[in-house]
Amino acid sequence: MTATPLSTPPQSPIGRIPVVDVEPLVDGGARPTKCVVGEEFVVTATVLREGHDAVGASVVLTDPEGRDHVATMVCTNPGLNTWEATVVANRPGMWTFRVEGWSDPYGTWEHDATIKVRADVDTDLMLTEGALFLERAAQTPDRSPQGAAVLREGVAALRDETRPPQVRMSAITHGPVHDELIGTPVRDLVSASTAYPLLVERQLALCGAWYEFFPRSEGAVYDEETHTWRSGTLRTAAQRLTAVAGMGFDVIYLTPIHPIGQAAKKGPNNTLDASPEDPGSPYAIGSADGGHDAIHPDLGTFEDFDHFVETARGLGLEVAMDIALQCSPDHPWVTEHPEWFTTRADGTIAFAENPPKKYQDIYPMNFDNDPAGAYAEVRRVVQVWIDHGVTVFRVDNPHTKPVEFWQWLIQDVAREHPEIIWLSEAFTKPAMMRTLAKVGFQQSYTYYAWRNTKPELQEYVEELATETAHYMRPSFWPTTHDILTPYMQFGGPAAWKLRAALAGTLVPTYGIYAGYELMEHVARPGAEEQIDNEKYQYKNRHWEDFEPGGSREGQSLAWYLRRLNEIRRAHPALHWLRNVTFHHVDDENILAFSKRRVVPADERAGTPEHEDVVIVIANLDPHSTRWSRVVLDMPALGLHPDEGFRAHDLITDQWWDFLRENMVHLGPDHEPVHIIEMKRY
């Protein structure tokens, strides 16, 4: 047989069985599609061929060792030749995936034979051709001995002339023979798409609960006589970790812990008249005591940092560190490498601005004058903290640095430390947020803080769960040290419960900034951030006052956050992003959604395969209690429209009988959110 002539560039060969429109791809396959271990995702493609012969399609995942894992696809729209399959990768690393189209001789024979035998046209010929095909199918290399035996029984049935043709046909088109040929099909003329990159990461890249604090505030003490502060240390901050872990968080995120410059130092509430006693902003990094690879002397030493990391690990917490690539005018880099900054026409170095905001205490880095030197130095700094146990980096304003720098840095770190996770703090245009995710950031801050109405939330989450889920993983934060929206300023306790509950259930990763438990809601006039902000001063929250027996016992939401994280850990449906479904509610202020997941059996844990369904119904109006009708999409819950179920509220421990239509009562005089576990009758 002579070789088939193929097309030449600029076209690529289409393949004997054309495979086109493969999804999900990131920039046409130029960058990896992402998932985490055990996360289901859907691969789709258009697969077709000439004439009327049947075709089939398969997804092939190739693991880092080169082993193929094949999943047969299903045609979901025959008119448009659309095929899809749900696939799962079982270990981290760089995989590939491709779609293979193939001629389906069994499907072709079954279609033609069914019609002809029923009409008694070429009956003997069709049965003979079927027997010959089964004999060939029984000998395919991937066929199990048991499967081959089933097919040989089919051959015997087709050749049994004592039985009517329709009966002989039925033995092949139904039952074990049919199931064997569908499960392990014969694939002729196999044609593969391009192999596209698939990055499979550990679960924390998709799902986790973060807690942020300023280490210098944890253990800070104010002296009433001298009117001065004594900074908290890494050792006193480590003492707070037991409470953080007790609330069920997975990651402890530290704002910068480096030396702080004195030049243009900011005072309380971002003023320019700082006193010598004011600590300055930890984002104004660098002084005579060192830069990004050093620890502020007030906080302690690397030995103290190692103790902090060890304490966190012992409590099940991973440590995230802030990477802010900017410098105080006092940073050693400013004198040693002035080329790493932007010099203005008057000879001064440009400080950071976000008009009308000015940050005179910060010099942004410029990567264009000496990219090799700047890249190498940042890589060295990152390695310092990795060597001391940091596994997660929250990057401050990455959208103000070259995207190609982040692509290089994240990839270079991943070569030796693939476990490292990067969170992008880029509140900017969608194109930049998406591109940062495409080039390597595992997670991204989002616009969640400013999405408050039902249409806003539903539209945004549907976008995140469909359009960008294969490369960008959202992290929802109700507040941060920079953000305190009017909704949180004036919404009262109902708003603080609601926004935490939605953040922790709409998406798999969410974060809380210290003080959230205390509902710190007073803003600096003219700004959407807290007054007396920790960015510029110490804050002793007197956590002990909120403990049992304390003067403010019962005034903390720590119990609510603990319960929310308990629910998240107990319900795997909440660990995924793409499985969200929104349900109808008559009231425009009430949002209802569900997440459903079939959890595989775990032999080590002794748990069988089971279904996990969580339904969340939330009153978005924190000022009034509302009644409304909720209409559930029962098939999305795995139920028939006429079925009912037991609904268990995981916050209040109440039980109800739910049907397709139900009345709910939510608001500040009760609870603003139902988080419901579905229990079948």
Side-chain angles (χ1 to χ4, degrees):
M1 181 181 294
T2 59
T4 302
L6 299 176
S7 62
T8 57
Q11 291 208 38
S12 300
I14 190 68
R16 180 64 182 81
I17 307 297
V19 177
V20 296
D21 302 329
V22 176
E23 294 289 347
L25 300 182
V26 179
D27 290 347
R31 275 158 278 283
T33 298
K34 298 178 186 176
C35 69
V36 300
V37 174
E39 179 191 8
E40 292 181 353
F41 66 100
V42 176
V43 175
T44 64
T46 300
V47 181
L48 64 153
R49 71 166 299 173
E50 81 291 346
H52 300 288
D53 284 3
V55 296
S58 305
V59 179
V60 183
L61 302 186
T62 303
D63 65 27
E65 281 71 45
R67 293 186 295 263
D68 286 345
H69 307 259
V70 181
T72 301
M73 303 178 81
V74 174
C75 188
T76 57
N77 189 327
L80 296 177
N81 301 100
T82 302
W83 294 75
E84 72 174 47
T86 300
V87 295
V88 178
N90 60 11
R91 53 151 295 182
M94 186 59 75
W95 295 52
T96 63
F97 73 99
R98 66 183 185 272
V99 173
E100 294 181 341
W102 35 274
S103 177
D104 179 7
Y106 173 65
T108 300
W109 175 84
E110 181 185 42
H111 174 269
D112 293 348
T114 298
I115 295 172
K116 289 187 174 184
V117 171
R118 184 181 299 125
D120 195 20
V121 175
D122 296 335
T123 298
D124 291 339
L125 178 59
M126 296 308 299
L127 296 178
T128 298
E129 288 181 346
L132 293 173
F133 165 71
L134 290 184
E135 289 173 345
R136 175 166 77 95
Q139 299 175 16
T140 52
D142 56 346
R143 186 80 55 197
S144 70
Q146 296 83 359
V150 167
L151 297 187
R152 285 192 291 269
E153 291 176 2
V155 172
L158 282 175
R159 296 188 183 279
D160 185 357
E161 297 181 359
T162 65
R163 302 162 70 186
Q166 290 278 16
V167 174
R168 293 152 67 186
M169 271 287 301
S170 179
I172 311 306
T173 57
H174 300 84
V177 174
H178 174 83
D179 294 343
E180 173 64 22
L181 290 170
I182 295 299
T184 308
V186 174
R187 308 190 314 154
D188 291 343
L189 305 177
V190 176
S191 305
S193 72
T194 298
Y196 298 106
L198 173 67
L199 178 59
V200 183
E201 298 175 296
R202 62 192 183 106
Q203 187 175 359
L204 191 66
L206 172 66
C207 177
W210 290 46
Y211 189 93
E212 172 196 358
F213 67 39
F214 285 69
R216 70 186 187 186
S217 285
E218 301 303 329
V221 177
Y222 183 70
D223 189 319
E224 297 285 353
E225 294 184 2
T226 63
H227 303 290
T228 59
W229 282 90
R230 184 179 74 246
S231 173
T233 68
L234 289 166
R235 294 274 176 172
T236 59
Q239 296 172 17
R240 176 68 182 153
L241 294 177
T242 299
V244 174
M247 286 186 285
F249 289 95
D250 306 299
V251 177
I252 181 68
Y253 150 44
L254 309 180
T255 53
I257 61 172
H258 314 300
I260 298 172
Q262 297 298 302
K265 184 174 68 172
K266 293 296 182 72
N269 292 309
N270 200 26
T271 60
L272 291 173
D273 55 350
S275 71
E277 291 76 25
D278 289 323
S281 168
Y283 289 91
I285 298 170
S287 75
D289 293 311
H292 287 73
D293 57 353
I295 295 173
H296 196 297
D298 288 353
L299 293 174
T301 65
F302 272 99
E303 182 180 352
D304 298 319
F305 184 80
D306 293 342
H307 168 76
F308 181 94
V309 172
E310 182 179 357
T311 302
R313 284 180 175 172
L315 293 166
L317 292 165
E318 294 198 33
V319 176
M321 172 168 281
D322 216 321
I323 293 290
L325 295 182
Q326 57 209 27
C327 300
S328 158
D330 299 332
H331 196 295
W333 289 348
V334 175
T335 55
E336 295 171 5
H337 294 282
E339 69 275 14
W340 294 351
F341 305 91
T342 298
T343 301
R344 305 189 70 177
D346 61 1
T348 62
I349 293 178
F351 57 75
E353 294 185 75
N354 185 14
K357 295 181 179 180
K358 293 187 176 184
Y359 304 93
Q360 297 90 338
D361 56 339
I362 291 173
Y363 290 168
M365 291 186 69
N366 182 325
F367 287 85
D368 292 329
N369 297 331
D370 177 25
Y375 281 31
E377 177 64 358
V378 174
R379 177 67 181 86
R380 183 191 67 80
V381 165
V382 168
Q383 191 62 47
V384 167
W385 299 108
I386 293 174
D387 291 344
H388 284 275
V390 173
T391 55
V392 185
F393 292 100
R394 179 268 195 191
V395 178
D396 192 65
N397 292 324
H399 57 290
T400 62
K401 315 297 184 293
V403 173
E404 68 175 2
F405 161 71
W406 295 118
Q407 183 181 38
W408 173 84
L409 178 66
I410 294 171
Q411 184 181 54
D412 195 68
V413 169
R415 288 191 178 98
E416 295 183 2
H417 303 281
E419 75 281 3
I420 300 299
I421 292 170
W422 302 80
L423 169 63
S424 164
E425 188 255 0
F427 295 107
T428 185
K429 295 178 181 178
M432 175 59 79
M433 295 174 69
R434 293 183 177 194
T435 302
L436 289 167
K438 289 176 180 180
V439 303
F441 279 93
Q442 283 85 358
Q443 297 179 3
S444 175
Y445 278 70
T446 62
Y447 306 125
Y448 170 69
W450 299 279
R451 299 293 188 265
N452 297 311
T453 68
K454 181 160 69 173
E456 289 171 344
L457 283 166
Q458 181 168 337
E459 180 182 3
Y460 191 40
V461 171
E462 286 178 337
E463 172 193 317
L464 293 168
T466 55
E467 293 181 27
T468 61
H470 54 290
Y471 63 89
M472 189 174 90
R473 305 186 187 103
S475 183
F476 276 12
W477 292 69
T479 66
T480 72
H481 62 260
D482 292 316
I483 300 169
L484 182 67
T485 62
Y487 190 96
M488 305 304 289
Q489 295 173 34
F490 305 111
W496 290 75
K497 285 183 175 180
L498 168 75
R499 296 299 289 182
L502 289 180
T505 55
L506 277 168
V507 297
T509 288
Y510 86 114
I512 293 297
Y513 164 47
Y516 194 95
E517 312 95 301
L518 313 183
M519 295 170 281
E520 295 174 344
H521 64 280
V522 180
R524 177 162 58 89
E528 286 191 11
E529 63 178 41
Q530 289 185 4
I531 198 167
D532 302 329
N533 196 300
E534 281 184 277
K535 287 187 294 184
Y536 312 109
Q537 61 193 82
Y538 301 108
K539 180 174 286 189
N540 184 342
R541 291 184 169 89
H542 298 284
W543 298 110
E544 66 279 3
D545 292 348
F546 299 89
E547 297 296 325
S551 61
R552 302 181 68 182
E553 180 182 0
Q555 298 180 34
S556 168
L557 289 182
W559 71 271
Y560 195 86
L561 298 176
R562 181 183 306 112
R563 184 65 190 130
L564 175 59
N565 287 331
E566 288 172 349
I567 293 168
R568 283 168 49 87
R569 288 190 174 181
H571 289 277
L574 298 176
H575 300 175
W576 285 357
L577 172 64
R578 311 175 210 226
N579 60 337
V580 64
T581 299
F582 288 90
H583 302 263
H584 173 79
V585 186
D586 291 343
D587 191 320
E588 63 181 7
N589 293 283
I590 297 180
L591 179 75
F593 62 93
S594 64
K595 291 199 167 186
R596 177 175 174 236
R597 175 178 173 182
V598 176
V599 184
D602 187 335
E603 294 183 3
R604 288 180 297 179
T607 56
E609 179 179 282
H610 63 283
E611 184 181 52
D612 183 39
V613 181
V614 175
I615 304 165
V616 180
I617 308 172
N619 179 2
L620 306 179
D621 176 3
H623 304 289
S624 62
T625 297
R626 294 174 176 271
W627 287 88
S628 189
R629 182 183 67 129
V630 178
V631 182
L632 297 173
D633 180 346
M634 301 302 271
L637 304 178
L639 298 172
H640 187 275
D642 295 332
E643 282 188 89
F645 61 92
R646 291 285 284 163
H648 179 207
D649 189 307
L650 298 170
I651 297 292
T652 64
D653 199 31
Q654 292 178 287
W655 289 82
W656 307 286
D657 291 305
F658 264 32
L659 298 170
R660 178 174 174 268
E661 297 186 15
N662 310 276
M663 293 297 295
V664 295
H665 173 221
L666 294 163
D669 67 345
H670 179 49
E671 287 290 340
V673 182
H674 290 319
I675 304 180
I676 294 169
E677 176 185 36
M678 188 190 88
K679 293 288 189 181
R680 290 178 180 267
Y681 285 126

